[in-house]
Amino acid sequence: MPKSNTPDPDQPLHLVTRHWTELAQALSSATPRRWLLVDVAGQRLILAHGPFVLEVRPVSTARAGIDCRQDSGGTPCGLHRIHGKIGHQAPLGAVFVGRRPTGQVWRPGDDPVDDDLILTRILTLEGCQEGLNRGEGVDSLTRYIYIHGTNHEQQVGTPVSHGCVRMTSADMVELFDQVEEGDPVVIV
């Protein structure tokens, strides 16, 4: 795998934040106002405005850990951006297949489903670092890496996904309404 420009995950959050803010600024020529930090070690997603933490929510990243390679089952690291927002005003628990609503709605009391359903809302992620999470064999967008709601809400906070970042449907709706296409997403 290509060399990562990732800081030590054991560094204090403010140092990690400064590193990624500087990287996002270098790539986009502007300091991001609103951005997301996915902390894989902590299984949490942080919504930030500049250097200030606005919210922290639990997530589930990949059981396989951090891995940018196609078919690895890992969550890709590095700087991404929200490429698309899918599911605006879909009902809580709406089931998506191929990024399209199926018309089905999953509810927590429904019979258990082993499949990893993509529910409620989808934020598609596009890698910004050529050779790390963008380009042949490592491209987050063509790997269909998302932030999305899940039917396995009881597992949120545990690394169990197949590469995506899973959230509860309620958290996904709130996050979806707070972010825009183009917002930076850092996975570390």
Side-chain angles (χ1 to χ4, degrees), residues 12-91:
L13 183 58
H14 73 278
L15 295 178
V16 173
T17 300
R18 186 176 73 213
H19 172 84
W20 288 108
T21 300
E22 290 168 358
L23 181 59
Q25 184 174 2
L27 291 174
S28 68
S29 74
T31 300
R33 292 174 304 143
R34 177 185 48 238
W35 62 291
L36 300 173
L37 174 68
V38 177
D39 171 14
V40 173
Q43 291 297 292
R44 62 188 178 156
L45 181 144
I46 298 167
L47 173 62
H49 189 276
F52 302 103
V53 173
L54 301 178
E55 295 181 7
V56 179
R57 299 187 184 268
V59 297
S60 286
T61 59
R63 174 178 289 131
I66 293 276
D67 197 330
C68 298
R69 295 172 297 158
Q70 183 74 35
D71 302 321
S72 68
T75 298
C77 63
L79 180 64
H80 293 77
R81 71 175 194 91
I82 296 173
H83 178 264
K85 292 176 64 174
I86 301 169
H88 180 69
Q89 295 192 347

Side-chain angles (χ1 to χ4, degrees), residues 63-125:
R63 174 178 289 131
I66 293 276
D67 197 330
C68 298
R69 295 172 297 158
Q70 183 74 35
D71 302 321
S72 68
T75 298
C77 63
L79 180 64
H80 293 77
R81 71 175 194 91
I82 296 173
H83 178 264
K85 292 176 64 174
I86 301 169
H88 180 69
Q89 295 192 347
L92 201 67
V95 178
F96 291 83
V97 174
R99 296 167 306 285
R100 289 182 168 47
T102 65
Q104 298 176 306
V105 176
W106 180 87
R107 292 180 176 79
D110 290 352
D111 290 334
V113 176
D114 289 335
D115 293 343
D116 178 18
L117 300 179
I118 296 173
L119 302 181
T120 306
R121 305 282 188 279
I122 301 170
L123 298 174
T124 60
L125 299 181

